[in-house]
Amino acid sequence: MGTSTSSRGPGPNVSFDPPWLDDVLEELGPDAVPPTDGEPVAPKGSPGAAQPARYVDARRELKKFIKSGSTDNLRNAIGHYSSKGSGGAGAASTRMRASTRAGAELFSFLNAVSQGSSVEARQWVQDLQSGNPTADDVIDAIVLELSPPGGSADEEALRDSMASALTELVVENPGIDLMLLQTPHIWELMKNYLASEVVHRLCFDLGPLLESAKVNPTIAVQREREMRLFIKLEIGEHLELLRGTNQNPTRADLDGILQETLKMTFELFEAGL
């Protein structure tokens, strides 16, 4: 994974939240989506400073998973990452508030585009359709609209997660029109997106373990896919529980649902330690 090679992970005695996180949130402002609903309320940042060797247990368990493929090791790695490495499930999910904000923007944008619920959304579709776009062209256009190139590693990860989730949706549903998505498809997309963001966060914070584990490159790729699928299944259970029957949630609703989904997922992994 690209993000796994870009960092050796944050050190001790620093804030759980990176100082540039709020800048990412500002980049994901209200102009990214046609203004059809309320603004999400960003949660407060994680308090306190990180302890020394906070990731040692998570790294040990993730190395075991890479070697063996045991989901028990992966479950333990995520639990230790959340509890000791991030200051608990609440803090871990709050630190990913840029991810949930971007996910809410993505959901709202796709919903507005599919329903033609604003002049801006209808114009965006018309302009894109005039070029007879392929599925890849539509994916690129969606990602560009919501998160232009440039910025921090987190922003790069957001773009990659959006593109990966959209691509996976197309692969799983051949012939699907990304400009006419039904609500169930958008919720399924959210599962793929959040799982990708959690994997990005793990790989970035824990360092390049996939690359340094001395396993066959094919195995490394397989393990990353296994991580994504395993996390998606757990996230999916909580997302289905929380989303309810609201067919047109506001961005504030969505942001809260995605935040709580992550929190519940991290709590589940912590409980297994």
Side-chain angles (χ1 to χ4, degrees):
M1 172 169 291
T3 54
S4 65
T5 61
S6 60
S7 171
R8 298 189 66 85
N13 301 318
V14 297
S15 171
F16 282 117
D17 282 353
W20 37 257
L21 181 55
D22 287 331
D23 293 335
V24 177
L25 289 167
E26 288 180 8
E27 290 294 324
L28 297 167
D31 293 337
V33 176
T36 57
D37 49 45
E39 282 300 300
V41 178
K44 295 181 180 179
S46 312
Q51 299 301 310
R54 57 171 162 153
Y55 291 133
V56 63
D57 293 332
R59 288 192 178 107
R60 182 190 67 245
E61 292 295 327
L62 190 58
K63 285 180 181 178
K64 289 180 180 179
F65 163 72
I66 294 170
K67 294 287 188 180
S68 68
S70 170
T71 53
D72 287 340
N73 294 130
L74 178 56
R75 184 183 297 275
N76 290 340
I78 301 171
H80 285 302
Y81 170 82
S82 175
S83 62
K84 183 177 179 181
S86 302
S93 60
T94 297
R95 189 183 181 199
M96 293 185 65
R97 59 190 182 273
S99 301
T100 60
R101 166 68 72 88
E105 300 281 11
L106 177 60
F107 189 110
S108 294
F109 181 78
L110 293 175
N111 201 40
V113 164
S114 66
Q115 296 183 13
S117 58
S118 71
V119 173
E120 295 90 342
R122 292 192 293 273
Q123 186 63 52
W124 185 88
V125 171
Q126 185 176 1
D127 291 344
L128 188 57
Q129 286 179 332
S130 66
N132 193 27
T134 64
D136 286 340
D137 292 333
V138 176
I139 291 171
D140 290 342
I142 292 170
V143 174
L144 181 63
E145 180 72 16
L146 296 176
S147 184
S152 69
D154 267 23
E155 289 173 286
E156 293 292 338
L158 289 174
R159 284 187 285 275
D160 183 74
S161 294
M162 287 182 187
S164 295
L166 288 161
T167 299
E168 189 169 348
L169 187 65
V170 171
V171 170
E172 294 174 349
N173 301 273
I176 195 171
D177 188 341
L178 293 175
M179 291 181 282
L180 290 172
L181 291 178
Q182 300 299 308
T183 302
H185 282 134
I186 304 178
W187 280 115
E188 189 65 25
L189 179 71
M190 290 296 102
K191 300 175 188 177
N192 292 331
Y193 166 77
L194 285 181
S196 182
E197 277 297 278
V198 171
V199 172
H200 271 297
R201 190 74 267 160
L202 283 169
C203 289
F204 185 83
D205 285 343
L206 299 186
L209 298 183
L210 284 169
E211 291 82 352
S212 64
K214 298 181 180 179
V215 296
N216 185 292
T218 302
I219 296 297
V221 172
Q222 180 181 334
R223 293 289 183 262
E224 184 182 328
R225 290 175 179 169
E226 290 169 353
M227 287 173 64
R228 196 185 303 261
L229 177 59
F230 178 75
I231 294 169
K232 176 187 173 181
L233 290 174
E234 300 294 354
I235 282 174
E237 292 286 338
H238 295 121
L239 190 60
E240 290 293 334
L241 179 66
L242 292 169
R243 72 173 188 162
T245 58
N246 186 351
Q247 294 298 309
N248 292 292
T250 67
R251 276 175 287 172
D253 293 336
L254 290 164
D255 199 11
I257 290 170
L258 299 182
Q259 274 279 318
E260 187 64 19
T261 294
L262 290 177
K263 181 174 179 289
M264 291 175 67
T265 302
F266 283 127
E267 286 175 340
L268 178 67
F269 290 129
E270 288 182 14
L273 295 177

